[in-house]
Amino acid sequence: MNTSTTMKLCKSSSTLAKTDRPVIIAGPCSAESEEQMLKTALGLQKLQGLSVFRAGIWKPRTRPGHFQGVGTVGLEWLKTVKQETGLRTACEVAHAKHVTEALQHGVDILIIGAHTTVNSFLVQDIADALQGVDVPVLVKNPVNPDLMLWIGALERLHHSGIKDLGVVHRGFSTMDNAPYRNHPKWDHVVELRKVLPEIPVYCDSSHIAGRRSLLRPVSQRALNLDYDGLMVEAHYNPALALSDAQQQLMPQELDMLLQTLDYNIDDADSARKGAQLEELRKYIEHLDDELLDLIARRSRLSAKLNDYMDADTIEAPQVVQWDHVLGDLLVHANSAGVNKEFVQTIFQEVRKHYAQTYLYKA
Ligand code: PEP
Ligand code: MN
């Protein structure tokens, strides 16, 4: 992979460069009204280190009928927020028309959402619309844990001349996300940084956590891993929020969170190693689960075969030589680099346990 040499990203040229404290990007999940935007922004303006106000204008929703965002009028409200607070503004764009409208309304930073990063047609459409435009773009990880897809999106933008690129880690959709809304898979970001060491990385704690109680551990973990900043959803009254109500904080709650995080991390390297170890351990647990599941499936099939054997009307399945079965397994074990004696022991035990002696001739 030669991405790191072709994409000469430089943190120091990022307009969102981290100083001694991480960059904080905050704002409501969705723009809902001018009043909601202003009340929230004025609350956030007082927070130390807050540099960007975010709000979703167009919302990707799983099913129709849910709040899809207010659309273009929300861009006017973002403009008002900028005028009233001096904060830079950011919103998600999902295709070229969004890009044109956001830029026309003076949005400072564009975000490519997780549901867009997965679609190379849309990313290319956005990249084409950004040819010759000098605007920072933050690319969220794709919904599915596919590192190359994430890197590919960055490459498309880079080829269009976007130099000020950053990534937002918002977690992944996996087989089992518990206890998160989106599994962080921290190791993925460690890997991404190996390929693109200079890319600024922001943690979207809200979409990883999915609930307020997990925002602190997720945010702290990101700081321990030396992330460049945090993105946190905030609303002046989360109970009224039209999307993601359960994960948004009031500005004063966000203030409290930011004040009580530990910023004196002196060993990001060992935190990184820790993250890798934890991912590996999780992966082994996942494989153990799969092993168990396979054994259960095999046992159900054995039972089914036994039923066939018992029914007089049905011809018995063909009896096969156990020696041949085992022989094939051992050849497979050899090519897979697994110890043959170990494989022999396991399969003999499995066979014995399910007593299929009449399916296999000894
Ligand atoms: C959001 O930021 O509100 C959002 C919808 O994000 P994501 O693309 O991470 O789902
Ligand atoms: Mn949201």
Side-chain angles (χ1 to χ4, degrees):
M1 156 74 63
N2 60 3
T3 314
S4 54
T5 48
T6 54
M7 276 177 66
K8 289 205 173 57
L9 297 166
C10 182
K11 270 192 196 176
S12 55
S13 68
S14 162
T15 50
L16 278 176
K18 176 166 101 165
T19 49
D20 52 333
R21 279 280 177 111
V23 170
I24 307 298
I25 304 167
C29 176
S30 301
E32 295 162 0
S33 68
E34 187 165 35
E35 187 197 10
Q36 168 246 11
M37 293 275 273
L38 269 174
K39 274 189 177 167
T40 308
L42 290 169
L44 291 172
Q45 188 192 18
K46 303 178 198 120
L47 271 54
Q48 206 207 341
L50 186 99
S51 35
V52 180
F53 179 85
R54 62 142 283 164
I57 304 295
W58 303 278
K59 301 303 295 179
R61 304 316 296 260
T62 310
R63 298 186 64 199
H66 293 150
F67 179 61
Q68 312 257 6
V70 292
T72 314
V73 65
L75 293 171
E76 297 291 342
W77 306 336
L78 268 182
K79 216 191 230 173
T80 310
V81 164
K82 189 159 140 178
Q83 277 158 5
E84 296 291 317
T85 63
L87 289 168
R88 277 183 292 172
T89 54
C91 78
E92 177 181 337
V93 288
H95 49 66
K97 192 163 173 282
H98 289 167
V99 171
T100 313
E101 288 194 31
L103 293 176
Q104 273 167 357
H105 286 81
V107 173
D108 299 292
I109 295 156
L110 304 181
I111 303 170
I112 299 194
H115 296 83
T116 305
T117 311
V118 286
N119 186 327
S120 54
F121 288 126
L122 290 176
V123 175
Q124 192 56 54
D125 190 39
I126 294 170
D128 291 344
L130 284 171
Q131 282 273 357
V133 180
D134 185 16
V135 64
V137 181
L138 301 179
V139 182
K140 285 198 170 192
N141 66 256
V143 179
N144 53 321
D146 183 336
L147 199 57
M148 285 306 136
L149 206 50
W150 202 0
I151 292 172
L154 291 161
E155 284 175 325
R156 287 177 198 280
L157 291 158
H158 190 69
H159 291 162
S160 275
I162 299 294
K163 297 278 179 295
D164 199 345
L165 278 169
V167 294
V168 179
H169 174 209
R170 53 77 82 191
F172 301 88
S173 187
T174 65
M175 288 219 308
D176 180 10
N177 289 336
Y180 308 100
R181 176 178 178 190
N182 292 293
H183 202 290
K185 294 183 81 62
W186 299 102
D187 194 44
H188 255 54
V189 177
V190 174
E191 289 305 314
L192 179 84
R193 282 165 136 188
K194 278 188 196 154
V195 181
L196 297 169
E198 285 297 319
I199 193 118
V201 182
Y202 308 97
C203 178
D204 177 347
S205 311
S206 306
H207 287 88
I208 291 178
R211 49 193 153 127
R212 284 180 272 278
S213 60
L214 278 180
L215 286 172
R216 172 177 306 284
V218 169
S219 303
Q220 188 61 58
R221 186 71 189 268
L223 296 183
N224 296 354
L225 286 166
D226 198 27
Y227 278 33
D228 297 270
L230 303 173
M231 180 185 281
V232 187
E233 287 186 341
H235 190 295
Y236 81 95
N237 185 351
L240 301 179
L242 299 178
S243 59
D244 289 351
Q246 65 295 346
Q247 71 189 29
Q248 304 204 53
L249 290 178
M250 286 196 279
Q252 53 273 38
E253 289 172 323
L254 177 58
D255 192 20
M256 186 74 87
L257 171 70
L258 295 176
Q259 281 190 40
T260 50
L261 286 170
D262 182 4
Y263 298 91
N264 299 316
I265 314 301
D266 44 19
D267 201 357
D269 221 40
S270 72
R272 232 168 266 149
K273 282 193 190 116
Q276 266 172 323
L277 272 179
E278 189 184 309
E279 289 304 332
L280 285 175
R281 193 177 51 74
K282 284 255 165 60
Y283 194 49
I284 287 179
E285 272 174 23
H286 166 70
L287 290 179
D288 285 349
D289 263 359
E290 285 203 332
L291 262 179
L292 201 77
D293 201 43
L294 280 176
I295 291 174
R297 278 161 61 193
R298 192 189 187 284
S299 118
R300 284 195 293 273
L301 273 180
S302 293
K304 220 177 192 170
L305 277 174
N306 285 341
D307 289 349
Y308 276 107
M309 298 293 288
D310 293 343
D312 339 321
T313 47
I314 296 168
E315 226 177 278
Q318 216 187 343
V319 174
V320 287
Q321 294 283 345
W322 169 243
D323 283 354
H324 284 172
V325 175
L326 187 62
D328 286 350
L329 284 168
L330 293 183
V331 171
H332 190 174
N334 201 28
S335 61
V338 187
N339 181 285
K340 284 211 241 175
E341 286 72 37
F342 176 57
V343 168
Q344 185 156 356
T345 313
I346 288 180
F347 280 95
Q348 261 157 358
E349 281 304 311
V350 169
R351 176 172 166 258
K352 212 162 52 190
H353 189 71
Y354 292 109
Q356 296 171 1
T357 38
Y358 50 100
L359 287 182
Y360 300 120
K361 262 201 229 143

